[in-house]
Amino acid sequence: MSDYYEILGVRRDASAEEIKKAYRKLARQLHPDVNAGDDAEARFKEVSRAYDVLSNPERRQVYDMGGDPSASGGGGFGPGFGFSDIFESFFGAAAGGGARGPAPRQRRGQDALVRIEVHLNEATFGGQRELQLDTAVVCPTCEGSCCRPGTQPRTCEVCKGRGQIQRVARSFLGQVMTQQACAACQGFGSVISDPCVECSGEGRVRTRRSLTVKIPPGVDTGTRIQLTGQGEVGPAGGPPGDLYVEVVEQPHPLFTRRGDDLHVTVELPMTAAALGTTIEIESLDGPQQIDIKPGTQSRELVTLRGLGVAHLRGAGRRGDLVIHLVVMTPTVLDGEQEKLLRELATLRGEERPSGRLTPTHPGMFSKLRDRFAGK
Ligand SMILES: [Zn+2]
Ligand SMILES: [Zn+2]
């Protein structure tokens, strides 16, 4: 008895899917319709027999236990067994089963993707952009018919308009009917003998089109704006695909975006931080007054609510503008300034600071972590 697993080239524990794949591959190579080799027919028969057994869980079990299921009458290879049944169940070649009509010339056009660079202002407030787009549009001469104006496609004589031709192959399997796309008309069922000159019978022409894109407030890098039906027109003037406009946000020199919040750093002179003051900063919404309370420390945050980036589809709601305060120590002192600072130090008893230890501010760690994470 032959080793069916060996014949199919699969392991003994191969799954049903692996067995199916192995058979499909071998059958393609060995089918008498494609392989005229002397032993191809015999091997095809062998392979089909192996598959017939191993593809059936009951028969496979009998075989695994040392029996020969193809020798036993019922369910095995009876006289009426046709290899082509197996073959056709794979390749859908049976005539009459699943006969398709001619293929439509018109097909939907492809989607297109373009990227636009957006500045923080546009991301925050939305905007509009003029785009130049290389795309395909319906051919203005033939209006998508692909034919020279005044002419029409004629029915294909080879397939009589069916788009498919049936082929009868005789082999030891008996008659095998196969269907394939008609080569004379590429399966369309009709032939254009007088194609439109402008589009070479494509029904569409390449062109550069301009288009206005609305940028909604709140977009970010990676946001895709879908413009339905603004992609390219399909073959034979088929319906257009969609256009996707993908946003790439340009980094702002001052404001760092994190989600919909903006972060910025403001440097405060040491004296202002100690005494308190009012400063004016420039935000995306114009100048803002900020009160600095006396005794302000480095790393303190001032949050201006609603002055960040809009939430996408957030009905006008916006993130915050977070100001990180940094107290600046003077680096250059003239004689009088140094004298005053020394007097101040004496008054405050700070000529010899203690070097007292305090725990590190937890915020420092998250900042470091963010830096390493590339945020
Ligand atoms: Zn045309
Ligand atoms: Zn044809």
Side-chain angles (χ1 to χ4, degrees), residues 156 158-159 163 182 184-185 189:
C156 174
V158 177
C159 64
C182 169
C185 62

Side-chain angles (χ1 to χ4, degrees), residues 23 43-52 77 83 86:
Y23 171 71
R43 279 201 59 207
F44 179 68
K45 202 167 172 177
E46 210 176 49
V47 160
S48 297
R49 189 184 298 275
Y51 178 70
D52 181 60
F77 282 79
F83 291 105
I86 304 178

Side-chain angles (χ1 to χ4, degrees), residues 110 112 132-137 205-210 230-233 240 243:
Q110 291 198 321
Q132 298 289 312
L133 201 65
D134 289 312
T135 187
V137 296
V205 287
R206 298 247 138 231
T207 188
R208 176 161 270 229
R209 194 157 67 88
S210 55
Q230 300 282 7
E232 61 177 50
V233 156
L243 172 66

Side-chain angles (χ1 to χ4, degrees), residues 64-231:
D64 284 343
M65 285 160 63
D68 185 359
S70 60
S72 68
F77 282 79
F81 179 80
F83 291 105
S84 56
D85 293 347
I86 304 178
F87 187 78
E88 283 165 11
S89 71
F90 266 114
F91 298 98
R100 288 171 296 144
R105 244 173 237 283
Q106 264 199 355
R107 289 198 309 275
R108 182 182 184 269
Q110 291 198 321
D111 293 341
L113 175 70
V114 292
R115 290 196 174 83
I116 54 169
E117 294 190 341
V118 164
H119 296 288
L120 185 59
N121 261 294
E122 292 171 288
T124 304
F125 300 112
Q128 276 195 359
R129 189 63 66 81
E130 288 294 317
L131 281 187
Q132 298 289 312
L133 201 65
D134 289 312
T135 187
V137 296
V138 176
C139 171
T141 302
C142 65
E143 292 168 331
S145 77
C146 309
C147 305
R148 196 169 60 81
T151 69
Q152 280 190 337
R154 63 181 162 77
T155 304
C156 174
E157 297 96 30
V158 177
C159 64
K160 308 279 183 285
R162 285 194 303 269
Q164 308 269 318
I165 49 166
Q166 288 187 352
R167 204 157 60 93
V168 181
R170 266 171 227 288
S171 70
F172 78 100
L173 301 170
Q175 287 192 344
V176 179
M177 298 276 265
T178 60
Q179 280 207 36
Q180 35 188 228
C182 169
C185 62
Q186 282 114 56
F188 294 131
S190 62
V191 176
I192 295 172
S193 41
D194 207 354
C196 169
V197 177
E198 171 144 12
C199 63
S200 313
E202 277 280 303
R204 55 178 180 170
V205 287
R206 298 247 138 231
T207 188
R208 176 161 270 229
R209 194 157 67 88
S210 55
L211 180 87
T212 307
V213 185
K214 271 193 77 160
I215 302 167
V219 295
D220 199 350
T221 293
T223 304
R224 283 189 175 184
I225 304 162
Q226 182 181 7
L227 301 173
T228 307
Q230 300 282 7

